[in-house]
Amino acid sequence: MDTKCYLCPRRCGADRSAGEKGFCRASLSVKVARAAKHHWEEPCISGTRGSGAVFFSHCNLRCVFCQNYDISHQGFGKEISAEELACIFLRLQADGAHNINLVSPTQYITQVKCALIAAKENGLTIPVVYNSNAYEEPDALASLTDLVDVYLPDLKYYHDEVAIRYSSAPHYFRHATSAILEMARQVGTPILDSDGLIRKGLIVRHLVLPGMVEESKRVLDWIKANLPSGVYISLMSQYVPMYRASEHPEINRKLSKAEYDEVVDYALAIGLDNGYIQEESASDESFIPAFDLTGVE
């Protein structure tokens, strides 16, 4: 295993086997903060029994408004082996989860790949969902071909200055769109079963930020122009000003209904009518799971 990390667009080359940590601060061992059934994803993912969500610690972005900052920025979690991770996948399947939902796995792609192979060899049959911020390297994603069934990326920003200001992510749009094209190549448009649960395919998420309606429209324009017509989008209204959002007065408020409705109307007007929208009630901190090592200890 090459322990120097080039998994994401930062390509920092940190040698994890020597104890070095790059921008994401992840070490050689996988760190997980929670592994349990989760009921607040898109309906085709959560279903009736919940998605088997595995929340990985650390992140290659620094979003100032991150709801999961205690695990993404502060690194709360427990280090486990790839073998233990495979056992978690199998336990979630045995508990009735509709799928395995890998939440922010980018910094651990190599270990996750090993765990998925081991789990599948030992009876994992439910779909695997790769749930990420899309700040990814296409070559790294390509290594997951035939191991991931569903890709659930964010497409956060269009303009580079916005991505840098709020997520410290230079060239975010260029990298994220390249990654999403690779995801689309692997899994195509969504395929649902008779119960309305996704078995395979791409769903692109976009969180609408306060004061950023035009930014959202440019993101939707790219989706319309570059992805297959059957692609699903998930337009999220759940923004809550958390963590360091107060340092940026322009986003230190909830999204207005008028702003969100304008983005939804635009999506429909350009023909993006497959997917999901959210109620205003989604912008509530109660939907954030407790990161307490449930399912890890």
Side-chain angles (χ1 to χ4, degrees):
M1 182 189 299
D2 185 358
T3 56
K4 290 187 177 182
C5 189
Y6 302 101
L7 290 173
C8 88
R10 298 187 189 279
R11 299 187 61 80
C12 62
D15 187 349
R16 298 191 193 184
S17 68
E20 295 177 5
K21 296 181 179 180
F23 184 91
C24 71
R25 309 303 297 163
S27 65
L28 191 59
S29 296
V30 175
K31 187 184 280 189
V32 175
R34 181 181 176 87
K37 287 190 288 187
H38 186 58
H39 296 273
W40 305 115
E41 304 287 32
E42 285 75 4
C44 69
I45 294 175
S46 291
T48 56
R49 298 195 304 269
S51 176
V54 181
F55 290 88
F56 294 95
S57 306
H58 300 295
C59 184
N60 65 341
L61 297 188
R62 287 289 182 273
C63 300
V64 297
F65 49 81
C66 183
Q67 295 182 348
N68 300 348
Y69 63 89
D70 47 346
I71 67 171
S72 62
H73 292 221
Q74 298 174 358
F76 174 79
K78 179 182 179 182
E79 290 191 348
I80 61 174
S81 67
E83 292 78 10
E84 289 172 313
L85 183 60
C87 290
I88 286 174
F89 296 160
L90 292 168
R91 177 185 58 76
L92 288 168
Q93 176 174 264
D95 286 347
H98 291 299
N99 43 65
I100 300 300
N101 185 355
L102 309 170
V103 184
S104 299
T106 306
Q107 60 276 12
Y108 302 117
I109 282 180
T110 305
Q111 300 93 323
V112 165
K113 177 182 177 180
C114 293
L116 286 173
I117 291 171
K120 287 175 181 285
E121 289 176 347
N122 285 279
L124 184 70
T125 58
I126 56 177
V128 174
V129 180
Y130 188 95
N131 180 344
S132 85
N133 58 39
Y135 200 51
E136 309 265 9
E137 280 285 287
D139 287 348
L141 291 173
S143 72
L144 298 173
T145 300
D146 298 328
L147 293 173
V148 169
D149 303 285
V150 178
Y151 279 103
L152 184 64
D154 293 330
L155 185 49
K156 293 178 178 292
Y157 313 109
Y158 179 82
H159 288 101
D160 201 42
E161 60 269 26
V162 180
I164 292 170
R165 182 185 312 135
Y166 298 134
S167 294
S168 300
H171 311 297
Y172 172 85
F173 183 76
R174 173 165 60 85
H175 290 300
T177 52
S178 294
I180 290 171
L181 289 172
E182 168 60 23
M183 296 173 185
R185 182 196 68 80
Q186 288 185 34
V187 299
T189 55
I191 298 172
L192 308 186
D193 65 18
S194 58
D195 295 319
L197 296 170
I198 191 164
R199 303 298 302 178
K200 188 173 183 178
L202 172 68
I203 302 174
V204 181
R205 284 175 165 172
H206 175 67
L207 175 66
V208 184
L209 296 175
M212 297 284 169
V213 167
E214 294 306 313
E215 189 80 0
S216 294
K217 289 179 179 179
R218 299 295 78 77
V219 166
L220 294 175
D221 286 339
W222 182 87
I223 292 172
K224 175 64 178 177
N226 293 277
L227 294 179
S229 59
V231 71
Y232 277 32
I233 61 169
S234 180
L235 284 176
M236 299 185 294
S237 64
Q238 67 190 48
Y239 177 80
V240 178
M242 295 184 66
Y243 192 42
R244 294 171 49 209
S246 61
E247 299 173 14
H248 301 268
E250 71 278 9
I251 60 168
N252 192 30
R253 63 173 175 86
K254 288 188 177 183
L255 183 71
S256 73
K257 184 177 185 301
E259 288 172 316
Y260 183 66
D261 287 349
E262 184 174 346
V263 174
V264 171
D265 290 345
Y266 186 80
L268 295 173
I270 64 173
L272 293 175
D273 50 9
N274 290 329
Y276 303 97
I277 60 174
Q278 288 184 327
E279 302 291 337
E280 269 189 285
S281 59
S283 58
D284 191 300
E285 294 180 32
S286 66
F287 292 108
I288 302 170
F291 299 118
D292 54 8
L293 302 183
T294 294
V296 185
E297 290 193 320

